[in-house]
């Protein structure tokens, strides 16, 4: 009898479903079950601004998918051929194989033009979403400890995305992209001592050479995407490890996360949002043409495309060079083209300023604590002012990068536009910083008044003695918490100038600078004091004017 039971048990074990057996086999070797059990119920907060990072991720996935399809048909070669494709106006014209294969993708490959347009549009949206996502992180202080490294990862992704886009739109070898490559080669040549060597290495000889498309192709599909993929994985791992930041609100502290579990709620929403992003990019690619190389024609060194403009994210660098005076210095038999070299120095400095800001702020405040609750931008006027000033400088240079287009479309003098950009590149950020700071302080005053007096209801009442007053609705406890939970830093003090013996005390010059910066960030006039509990009780008890 026992033998029969043992036989039945063995049969039941052998008859386990195939899927279960595969899952057991994989879990025994990869530990998937224990990993999923520990992390798949991880909580993520829910706020619309967090979708900006998802747009970056989804557009990058679309770039990879469409890019793989395009590589099957693109020929990264500058060998000359005679075009005999479907586009009749170009038949019989000598073009490079890169240009001819791009024309073939556009007119002869099924779905090729749509995929090519999706690839280009996804790249534009990817960089734009990264820019907006990083601004959200910057203005809310999400880069603070322990996320400084993740901020640098995001910054590197933005910079690499810009250069990946540049190498990508240079591949078709059309007149527009060729003009941009020529512009880049001129900038490289302006670098003292090593500029000519870099140019020869990159282009394989005198411009345009015969190798730059093949070399840009390798950089575009292998080197830069590989680095970006590694940074992206590291970025997501750190987001998962550090837990997601969240906005202040009832029940939210530095030690918890209020939101939805990763499975099934968050993943379901994320999956739907991916298809929404995919659909929007598909529709935009179908109705809005980008880079019609059949209208522009192949690149020739003796021609320049009229109104040639780079993609928007390279407009800042273009503007710096366009508006810079053509200064030169001749020394020791060498010519330094300052008109190009100076912008090449300013460009990384402007980008680097925003990359290093988290470390500068941490040094100024001396704050070494972990932060998981986000700031409202109005409560940090100096930081918000710096961010708006940086964006102002960026967008002013975008105008400089398209000064010819602005001049023709608005019937203005290109010299007037150029001088405007030259002046306001320095003046504009200062004005933007001052205006932003005043707006933030005004919003802080309004929040303070709202906490003490309540929300304006718009209802006017007449008192028995004839006075007209507006009825204020008291805020809920949750609203009061949101408006008063932010921290207000106290600026550093230099300390006494003499010690207890009356001897003048030596102060470290670095500490002096730190104290001055701290007062500039958090001193008088940089933040409105939060209402105290006593003030609130006095108002709410009816002793104050309401």
């Amino acid at each position: 009898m026992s033998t029969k039971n043992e036989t039945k048990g063995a049969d039941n074990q052998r008859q386990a479903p195939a899927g279960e057996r595969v899952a057991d086999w994989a879990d025994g070797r990869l530990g998937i079950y224990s990993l999923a059990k520990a992390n798949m119920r991880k909580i993520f907060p829910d706020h619309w601004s967090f979708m900006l990072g998802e747009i970056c991720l989804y557009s990058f996935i679309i770039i990879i998918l469409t890019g793989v399809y395009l590589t099957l048909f693109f020929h990264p070669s500058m060998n000359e051929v005679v075009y005999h494709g479907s586009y009749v106006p170009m038949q019989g014209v000598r073009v490079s194989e890169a240009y001819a294969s791009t024309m073939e993708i556009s007119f002869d490959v099924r779905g090729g033009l749509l995929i090519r347009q999706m690839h280009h549009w996804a790249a534009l949206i990817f960089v734009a979403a990264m820019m907006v996502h990083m601004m959200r992180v910057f203005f809310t202080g999400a880069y603070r400890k322990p996320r400084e490294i993740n901020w640098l990862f995001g910054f590197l992704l933005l910079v690499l995305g810009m250069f990946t886009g540049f190498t990508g739109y240079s591949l078709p070898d059309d007149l527009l992209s060729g003009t941009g490559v020529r512009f880049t080669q001129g900038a490289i040549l302006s670098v003292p001592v090593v500029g000519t060597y870099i140019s020869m290495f990159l282009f394989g000889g005198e411009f345009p050479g015969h190798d730059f498309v093949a070399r840009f192709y390798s950089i575009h599909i292998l080197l830069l995407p590989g680095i970006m993929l590694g940074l992206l994985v590291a970025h997501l791992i750190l987001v998962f490890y550090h837990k997601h930041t969240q906005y202040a609100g009832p029940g939210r502290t530095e030690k918890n996360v209020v939101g939805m579990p990763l499975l099934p709620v968050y993943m379901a929403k994320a999956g739907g949002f991916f298809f929404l992003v995919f659909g929007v990019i598909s529709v935009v690619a179908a109705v809005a043409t980008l880079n019609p190389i059949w209208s522009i024609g192949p690149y020739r060194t003796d021609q320049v495309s009229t109104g040639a403009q780079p993609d928007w994210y390279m407009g800042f660098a273009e503007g710096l060079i366009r508006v810079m005076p053509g200064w030169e210095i001749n020394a020791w038999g060498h010519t330094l083209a300052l008109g190009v070299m100076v912008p090449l120095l300013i460009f990384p400095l402007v980008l680097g300023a925003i990359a290093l800001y988290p470390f500068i702020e941490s040094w100024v405040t001396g704050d070494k604590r972990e932060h998981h609750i986000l700031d409202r931008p109005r409560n940090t006027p100096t930081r918000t002012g710096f961010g708006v000033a940086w964006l102002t400088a960026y967008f002013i240079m975008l105008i400089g990068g398209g000064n010819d287009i602005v001049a023709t479309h608005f019937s203005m003098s290109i010299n007037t536009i150029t001088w405007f950009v030259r002046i306001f590149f320095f003046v504009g950020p200062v004005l933007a910083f001052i205006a932003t700071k005043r707006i933030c302080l005004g919003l802080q005053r309004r929040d303070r008044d709202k906490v003490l007096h309540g929300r304006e209801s718009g209802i006017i009442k007449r008192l028995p003695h004839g006075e007209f007053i507006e009825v204020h609705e008291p805020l809920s406890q949750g609203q009061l918490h949101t408006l008063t939970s932010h921290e207000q830093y106290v600026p550093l003090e230099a300390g006494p100038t003499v010690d207890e013996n009356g001897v003048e005390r030596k102060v470290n010059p670095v500490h002096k600078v730190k104290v001055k910066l701290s007062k500039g960030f958090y001193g008088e006039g940089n933040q409105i004091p939060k209402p105290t509990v006593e003030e609130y009780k006095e108002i709410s008890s009816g002793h104050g004017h309401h």
Side-chain angles (χ1 to χ4, degrees):
M1 188 72 177
S2 59
T3 306
K4 290 182 179 180
N5 290 334
E6 291 174 0
T7 304
K8 287 182 179 180
D11 290 339
N12 291 334
Q13 289 181 350
R14 285 195 296 268
Q15 293 173 0
E20 183 178 336
R21 294 199 302 271
V22 172
D24 289 340
W25 182 89
D27 183 58
R29 290 153 180 81
L30 302 175
I32 296 175
Y33 176 76
S34 57
L35 183 66
K37 185 178 180 180
N39 296 295
M40 288 299 99
R41 298 292 292 177
K42 192 176 182 68
I43 301 299
F44 280 84
D46 186 17
H47 192 270
W48 67 266
S49 64
F50 299 150
M51 293 192 299
L52 296 170
E54 294 182 40
I55 294 174
C56 301
L57 175 63
Y58 301 152
S59 55
F60 183 74
I61 293 173
I62 294 169
I63 290 170
I64 298 297
L65 295 176
T66 54
V68 169
Y69 185 83
L70 294 175
T71 57
L72 302 177
F73 305 99
F74 182 72
H75 297 261
S77 170
M78 296 185 68
N79 295 331
E80 285 195 345
V81 296
V82 178
Y83 179 74
H84 293 295
S86 301
Y87 189 68
V88 176
M90 286 292 299
Q91 289 182 356
V93 177
R94 295 185 66 85
V95 299
S96 66
E97 285 190 36
Y99 184 89
S101 63
T102 308
M103 291 288 289
E104 181 185 4
I105 291 171
S106 301
F107 291 100
D108 300 308
V109 174
R110 186 177 295 275
L113 181 59
L114 177 62
I115 296 298
R116 181 171 160 253
Q117 295 284 289
M118 287 180 63
H119 189 72
H120 201 152
W121 271 112
L124 293 177
I125 293 173
F126 174 59
V127 180
M130 279 198 293
M131 178 79 78
V132 179
H133 174 58
M134 288 194 68
M135 287 301 100
R136 196 277 300 174
V137 172
F138 179 85
F139 286 124
T140 59
Y143 52 73
R144 293 172 295 175
K145 183 183 178 180
R147 298 175 179 84
E148 303 97 330
I149 301 300
N150 225 9
W151 167 264
L152 291 179
F153 284 169
F155 173 78
L156 290 174
L157 280 168
L158 175 63
V159 174
L160 291 175
M162 294 167 61
F163 285 101
T164 306
F166 168 73
T167 55
Y169 72 67
S170 301
L171 294 179
D173 198 29
D174 61 294
L175 188 56
L176 179 62
S177 66
T179 302
V181 174
R182 182 65 167 131
F183 173 91
T184 303
Q185 195 253 355
I188 292 173
L189 288 177
S190 71
V191 179
V193 183
V194 298
T196 51
Y197 294 95
I198 297 174
S199 176
M200 288 291 181
F201 171 77
L202 193 60
F203 295 98
E206 291 292 339
F207 183 85
H210 298 283
D211 299 323
F212 93 82
V213 168
R215 293 180 180 183
F216 275 32
Y217 182 72
S218 299
I219 294 171
H220 180 70
I221 71 166
L222 290 176
L223 180 62
L224 295 180
I227 298 173
M228 291 177 67
L229 189 60
L231 287 172
L232 181 62
V233 171
H235 184 77
L236 294 176
I237 289 174
L238 287 179
V239 168
F240 211 85
Y241 174 70
H242 291 141
K243 73 184 181 182
H244 207 292
T245 54
Q246 57 185 344
Y247 288 94
R252 298 172 183 176
T253 68
E254 297 284 2
K255 298 182 179 180
N256 71 348
V257 179
V258 178
M260 304 173 299
L262 181 62
L263 278 178
V265 181
Y266 191 83
M267 289 299 291
K269 287 188 174 183
F273 190 51
F274 168 75
F275 288 108
L276 181 61
V277 173
F278 190 93
V280 169
I281 291 177
S282 301
V283 171
V284 173
V287 300
T289 302
L290 272 177
N291 197 18
I293 64 169
W294 52 89
S295 299
I296 301 171
Y299 178 65
R300 284 178 50 178
T301 54
D302 61 336
Q303 294 181 356
V304 175
S305 177
T306 303
Q309 302 290 318
D311 281 344
W312 72 269
Y313 47 83
M314 299 302 290
F316 178 80
E318 175 102 0
L320 283 171
I321 293 181
R322 285 196 185 194
V323 303
M324 179 71 188
W327 295 338
E328 290 184 353
I329 296 178
N330 295 304
W332 300 289
H334 297 277
T335 299
L336 295 180
L338 298 182
V340 181
M341 191 175 71
V342 171
L344 286 182
L345 294 175
I346 294 177
F347 184 58
L349 287 177
V350 173
L351 291 176
I354 206 75
L356 297 177
Y357 184 86
F359 303 95
I360 297 172
E361 183 178 281
S362 175
W363 178 72
V364 170
T365 61
D367 187 2
K368 306 301 180 184
R369 298 167 301 165
E370 289 193 2
H371 291 274
H372 303 288
I373 298 293
L374 299 174
D375 290 328
R376 300 174 78 203
R378 67 184 63 181
N379 293 328
T380 54
T382 303
R383 178 204 299 157
T384 305
F386 280 135
V388 174
W390 188 90
L391 289 175
T392 301
Y394 198 93
F395 285 114
I396 286 174
M397 275 304 156
L398 282 183
I399 297 174
N403 56 0
D404 53 341
I405 300 298
V406 175
T408 55
H409 279 64
F410 294 96
S411 301
M412 299 174 65
S413 167
I414 193 170
N415 292 326
T416 302
I417 297 170
T418 301
W419 274 104
F420 167 82
V421 173
R422 286 175 178 173
I423 295 171
F424 273 83
F425 178 70
F426 299 99
V427 177
V430 176
L431 296 177
F433 176 82
I434 295 172
T436 301
K437 199 169 177 182
R438 290 180 66 87
I439 291 171
C440 289
L441 292 174
L443 292 173
Q444 285 188 43
R445 291 188 185 94
R446 192 187 72 171
D447 287 347
R448 175 184 170 85
D449 185 70
K450 190 182 293 186
V451 169
L452 293 176
H453 300 285
R455 187 181 67 86
E456 295 179 359
S457 65
I459 300 173
I460 305 298
K461 282 190 175 183
R462 184 179 181 182
L463 299 180
H465 60 275
E467 180 185 3
F468 288 92
I469 63 168
E470 181 183 13
V471 178
H472 286 232
E473 296 178 359
L475 302 181
S476 66
Q477 290 300 314
Q479 292 171 320
L480 290 173
H481 175 81
T482 301
L483 294 180
T484 58
S485 61
H486 61 280
E487 183 176 2
Q488 292 189 314
Y489 288 97
V490 178
L492 300 177
E493 297 292 340
T497 57
V498 295
D499 59 17
E500 62 275 7
N501 298 319
V503 180
E504 185 177 354
R505 186 171 62 90
K506 291 185 179 180
V507 181
N508 188 339
V510 176
H511 184 69
K512 285 184 178 180
V513 173
K514 187 175 181 179
V515 169
K516 287 184 178 180
L517 288 174
S518 179
K519 290 182 178 179
F521 272 65
Y522 308 110
E524 185 178 358
N526 289 281
Q527 52 188 356
I528 304 300
K530 293 190 297 184
T532 62
V533 177
E534 291 74 17
E535 288 176 318
Y536 177 75
K537 286 182 177 179
E538 181 181 359
I539 293 291
S540 59
S541 63
H543 297 296
H545 179 71
H546 194 63

Tab-separated table of all heavy atoms in Angstrom, residues 379 381 441 443-449 451-452 483-484 486-489 522-532 535:
chain	number	residue	atom	x	y	z
A	379	ASN	N	10.289	78.181	-2.289
A	379	ASN	CA	10.907	78.214	-0.964
A	379	ASN	C	12.428	78.244	-1.019
A	379	ASN	O	13.079	78.336	0.023
A	379	ASN	CB	10.449	77.011	-0.140
A	379	ASN	CG	8.968	77.083	0.199
A	379	ASN	OD1	8.417	78.163	0.362
A	379	ASN	ND2	8.322	75.933	0.288
A	381	PRO	N	14.493	80.579	-3.204
A	381	PRO	CA	14.560	81.611	-4.258
A	381	PRO	C	15.907	81.700	-4.960
A	381	PRO	O	15.956	81.913	-6.174
A	381	PRO	CB	14.256	82.910	-3.496
A	381	PRO	CG	13.594	82.491	-2.236
A	381	PRO	CD	14.153	81.152	-1.893
A	441	LEU	N	9.797	85.242	-3.555
A	441	LEU	CA	9.538	85.856	-2.258
A	441	LEU	C	8.078	86.308	-2.159
A	441	LEU	O	7.450	86.198	-1.098
A	441	LEU	CB	10.484	87.044	-2.043
A	441	LEU	CG	11.970	86.683	-1.861
A	441	LEU	CD1	12.820	87.943	-1.816
A	441	LEU	CD2	12.174	85.857	-0.602
A	443	LEU	N	5.554	84.864	-3.654
A	443	LEU	CA	4.758	83.652	-3.447
A	443	LEU	C	4.887	83.147	-2.012
A	443	LEU	O	3.927	82.615	-1.437
A	443	LEU	CB	5.197	82.573	-4.436
A	443	LEU	CG	4.869	82.855	-5.914
A	443	LEU	CD1	5.511	81.803	-6.813
A	443	LEU	CD2	3.358	82.872	-6.115
A	444	GLN	N	6.076	83.296	-1.422
A	444	GLN	CA	6.233	82.915	-0.018
A	444	GLN	C	5.346	83.780	0.885
A	444	GLN	O	4.740	83.278	1.843
A	444	GLN	CB	7.696	83.064	0.411
A	444	GLN	CG	8.619	81.975	-0.101
A	444	GLN	CD	9.999	82.075	0.519
A	444	GLN	OE1	10.136	82.304	1.711
A	444	GLN	NE2	11.019	81.906	-0.297
A	445	ARG	N	5.299	85.083	0.603
A	445	ARG	CA	4.433	85.975	1.399
A	445	ARG	C	2.964	85.566	1.257
A	445	ARG	O	2.205	85.594	2.232
A	445	ARG	CB	4.626	87.422	0.953
A	445	ARG	CG	5.983	88.019	1.303
A	445	ARG	CD	6.036	89.500	1.013
A	445	ARG	NE	7.370	90.035	1.245
A	445	ARG	CZ	8.291	90.160	0.292
A	445	ARG	NH1	7.999	89.817	-0.958
A	445	ARG	NH2	9.487	90.638	0.582
A	446	ARG	N	2.575	85.201	0.047
A	446	ARG	CA	1.192	84.774	-0.152
A	446	ARG	C	0.903	83.494	0.628
A	446	ARG	O	-0.177	83.341	1.229
A	446	ARG	CB	0.918	84.544	-1.638
A	446	ARG	CG	-0.567	84.377	-1.953
A	446	ARG	CD	-0.804	83.996	-3.376
A	446	ARG	NE	-0.406	82.618	-3.637
A	446	ARG	CZ	-0.667	81.968	-4.770
A	446	ARG	NH1	-1.314	82.567	-5.742
A	446	ARG	NH2	-0.269	80.721	-4.937
A	447	ASP	N	1.851	82.548	0.621
A	447	ASP	CA	1.657	81.316	1.393
A	447	ASP	C	1.543	81.617	2.887
A	447	ASP	O	0.724	81.017	3.602
A	447	ASP	CB	2.817	80.349	1.143
A	447	ASP	CG	2.755	79.715	-0.236
A	447	ASP	OD1	1.707	79.828	-0.893
A	447	ASP	OD2	3.758	79.112	-0.650
A	448	ARG	N	2.394	82.535	3.352
A	448	ARG	CA	2.344	82.905	4.778
A	448	ARG	C	0.975	83.501	5.121
A	448	ARG	O	0.366	83.146	6.135
A	448	ARG	CB	3.459	83.905	5.083
A	448	ARG	CG	3.428	84.456	6.496
A	448	ARG	CD	4.508	85.515	6.689
A	448	ARG	NE	4.323	86.216	7.960
A	448	ARG	CZ	4.784	85.799	9.126
A	448	ARG	NH1	5.467	84.676	9.191
A	448	ARG	NH2	4.568	86.496	10.220
A	449	ASP	N	0.497	84.383	4.264
A	449	ASP	CA	-0.801	85.002	4.502
A	449	ASP	C	-1.923	83.973	4.433
A	449	ASP	O	-2.887	84.032	5.209
A	449	ASP	CB	-1.028	86.104	3.462
A	449	ASP	CG	-2.305	86.882	3.718
A	449	ASP	OD1	-2.363	87.631	4.704
A	449	ASP	OD2	-3.256	86.719	2.918
A	451	VAL	N	-1.688	80.797	5.222
A	451	VAL	CA	-1.659	79.982	6.443
A	451	VAL	C	-2.327	80.720	7.596
A	451	VAL	O	-3.108	80.137	8.368
A	451	VAL	CB	-0.203	79.622	6.804
A	451	VAL	CG1	-0.122	79.018	8.202
A	451	VAL	CG2	0.361	78.642	5.783
A	452	LEU	N	-2.036	82.016	7.733
A	452	LEU	CA	-2.544	82.774	8.870
A	452	LEU	C	-4.012	83.160	8.720
A	452	LEU	O	-4.758	83.173	9.714
A	452	LEU	CB	-1.705	84.041	9.066
A	452	LEU	CG	-0.244	83.818	9.497
A	452	LEU	CD1	0.497	85.140	9.562
A	452	LEU	CD2	-0.182	83.102	10.842
A	483	LEU	N	2.268	73.753	3.311
A	483	LEU	CA	2.756	75.128	3.206
A	483	LEU	C	3.789	75.480	4.275
A	483	LEU	O	4.484	76.494	4.131
A	483	LEU	CB	1.580	76.104	3.301
A	483	LEU	CG	0.563	76.072	2.151
A	483	LEU	CD1	-0.544	77.078	2.389
A	483	LEU	CD2	1.243	76.356	0.815
A	484	THR	N	3.894	74.672	5.307
A	484	THR	CA	4.795	75.031	6.411
A	484	THR	C	5.849	73.972	6.706
A	484	THR	O	6.639	74.158	7.648
A	484	THR	CB	3.983	75.282	7.695
A	484	THR	OG1	3.228	74.099	8.022
A	484	THR	CG2	3.036	76.449	7.522
A	486	HIS	N	8.434	73.048	4.930
A	486	HIS	CA	9.762	73.259	4.372
A	486	HIS	C	10.733	73.778	5.429
A	486	HIS	O	10.337	74.432	6.394
A	486	HIS	CB	9.698	74.236	3.189
A	486	HIS	CG	9.183	75.589	3.551
A	486	HIS	ND1	7.843	75.865	3.700
A	486	HIS	CD2	9.836	76.762	3.795
A	486	HIS	CE1	7.689	77.143	4.008
A	486	HIS	NE2	8.868	77.695	4.077
A	487	GLU	N	12.000	73.484	5.216
A	487	GLU	CA	13.037	73.889	6.166
A	487	GLU	C	13.649	75.210	5.721
A	487	GLU	O	13.861	75.442	4.527
A	487	GLU	CB	14.125	72.812	6.242
A	487	GLU	CG	15.205	73.121	7.258
A	487	GLU	CD	16.218	71.993	7.378
A	487	GLU	OE1	16.080	70.999	6.641
A	487	GLU	OE2	17.140	72.116	8.200
A	488	GLN	N	13.934	76.076	6.677
A	488	GLN	CA	14.579	77.349	6.378
A	488	GLN	C	15.975	77.351	6.998
A	488	GLN	O	16.126	77.243	8.214
A	488	GLN	CB	13.742	78.513	6.904
A	488	GLN	CG	12.418	78.669	6.160
A	488	GLN	CD	11.685	79.938	6.530
A	488	GLN	OE1	11.565	80.271	7.699
A	488	GLN	NE2	11.184	80.648	5.529
A	489	TYR	N	16.983	77.442	6.139
A	489	TYR	CA	18.363	77.389	6.601
A	489	TYR	C	18.759	78.702	7.272
A	489	TYR	O	18.304	79.790	6.891
A	489	TYR	CB	19.306	77.119	5.435
A	489	TYR	CG	19.240	75.711	4.906
A	489	TYR	CD1	18.455	75.407	3.793
A	489	TYR	CD2	19.965	74.691	5.492
A	489	TYR	CE1	18.386	74.119	3.289
A	489	TYR	CE2	19.912	73.390	5.006
A	489	TYR	CZ	19.119	73.119	3.905
A	489	TYR	OH	19.065	71.835	3.419
A	522	TYR	N	20.920	82.440	1.972
A	522	TYR	CA	19.895	82.297	2.997
A	522	TYR	C	19.833	83.468	3.968
A	522	TYR	O	19.163	83.378	4.994
A	522	TYR	CB	20.128	81.004	3.794
A	522	TYR	CG	20.266	79.802	2.911
A	522	TYR	CD1	21.493	79.163	2.760
A	522	TYR	CD2	19.181	79.310	2.200
A	522	TYR	CE1	21.629	78.054	1.933
A	522	TYR	CE2	19.309	78.212	1.368
A	522	TYR	CZ	20.526	77.593	1.237
A	522	TYR	OH	20.662	76.516	0.415
A	523	GLY	N	20.534	84.563	3.675
A	523	GLY	CA	20.530	85.702	4.567
A	523	GLY	C	19.234	86.488	4.508
A	523	GLY	O	18.241	86.086	3.882
A	524	GLU	N	19.245	87.645	5.172
A	524	GLU	CA	18.063	88.494	5.214
A	524	GLU	C	17.657	88.929	3.810
A	524	GLU	O	18.497	89.313	2.997
A	524	GLU	CB	18.357	89.725	6.073
A	524	GLU	CG	17.152	90.621	6.289
A	524	GLU	CD	17.471	91.805	7.188
A	524	GLU	OE1	18.636	91.873	7.668
A	524	GLU	OE2	16.593	92.645	7.390
A	525	GLY	N	16.374	88.843	3.531
A	525	GLY	CA	15.873	89.212	2.212
A	525	GLY	C	15.883	88.073	1.220
A	525	GLY	O	15.511	88.267	0.058
A	526	ASN	N	16.327	86.876	1.649
A	526	ASN	CA	16.355	85.723	0.753
A	526	ASN	C	15.302	84.679	1.101
A	526	ASN	O	15.164	83.698	0.378
A	526	ASN	CB	17.741	85.070	0.778
A	526	ASN	CG	18.782	85.926	0.080
A	526	ASN	OD1	18.868	85.956	-1.131
A	526	ASN	ND2	19.564	86.654	0.864
A	527	GLN	N	14.603	84.859	2.207
A	527	GLN	CA	13.510	83.955	2.567
A	527	GLN	C	12.573	84.647	3.542
A	527	GLN	O	12.999	85.450	4.366
A	527	GLN	CB	14.041	82.644	3.164
A	527	GLN	CG	15.015	82.801	4.317
A	527	GLN	CD	15.640	81.489	4.725
A	527	GLN	OE1	15.305	80.426	4.209
A	527	GLN	NE2	16.551	81.538	5.688
A	528	ILE	N	11.296	84.363	3.385
A	528	ILE	CA	10.275	84.935	4.254
A	528	ILE	C	10.060	83.983	5.432
A	528	ILE	O	9.811	82.793	5.234
A	528	ILE	CB	8.957	85.145	3.482
A	528	ILE	CG1	9.196	86.006	2.244
A	528	ILE	CG2	7.899	85.764	4.387
A	528	ILE	CD1	9.744	87.377	2.534
A	529	PRO	N	10.149	84.486	6.665
A	529	PRO	CA	9.983	83.590	7.828
A	529	PRO	C	8.623	82.891	7.815
A	529	PRO	O	7.600	83.490	7.499
A	529	PRO	CB	10.107	84.535	9.027
A	529	PRO	CG	10.847	85.723	8.508
A	529	PRO	CD	10.457	85.865	7.070
A	530	LYS	N	8.631	81.634	8.155
A	530	LYS	CA	7.378	80.893	8.237
A	530	LYS	C	6.567	81.385	9.435
A	530	LYS	O	7.135	81.813	10.435
A	530	LYS	CB	7.656	79.384	8.397
A	530	LYS	CG	8.293	78.742	7.198
A	530	LYS	CD	8.301	77.221	7.327
A	530	LYS	CE	9.127	76.739	8.491
A	530	LYS	NZ	9.197	75.260	8.544
A	531	PRO	N	5.239	81.316	9.326
A	531	PRO	CA	4.424	81.714	10.487
A	531	PRO	C	4.648	80.753	11.641
A	531	PRO	O	4.761	79.538	11.461
A	531	PRO	CB	2.990	81.639	9.955
A	531	PRO	CG	3.061	80.733	8.770
A	531	PRO	CD	4.410	80.938	8.181
A	532	THR	N	4.703	81.294	12.840
A	532	THR	CA	4.894	80.465	14.029
A	532	THR	C	3.556	79.925	14.513
A	532	THR	O	2.488	80.399	14.120
A	532	THR	CB	5.556	81.281	15.151
A	532	THR	OG1	4.676	82.360	15.512
A	532	THR	CG2	6.885	81.857	14.689
A	535	GLU	N	1.574	82.686	16.248
A	535	GLU	CA	0.881	83.591	15.333
A	535	GLU	C	-0.392	82.949	14.792
A	535	GLU	O	-1.436	83.601	14.685
A	535	GLU	CB	1.810	83.965	14.169
A	535	GLU	CG	2.943	84.892	14.537
A	535	GLU	CD	3.882	85.150	13.367
A	535	GLU	OE1	4.197	84.176	12.636
A	535	GLU	OE2	4.278	86.301	13.178
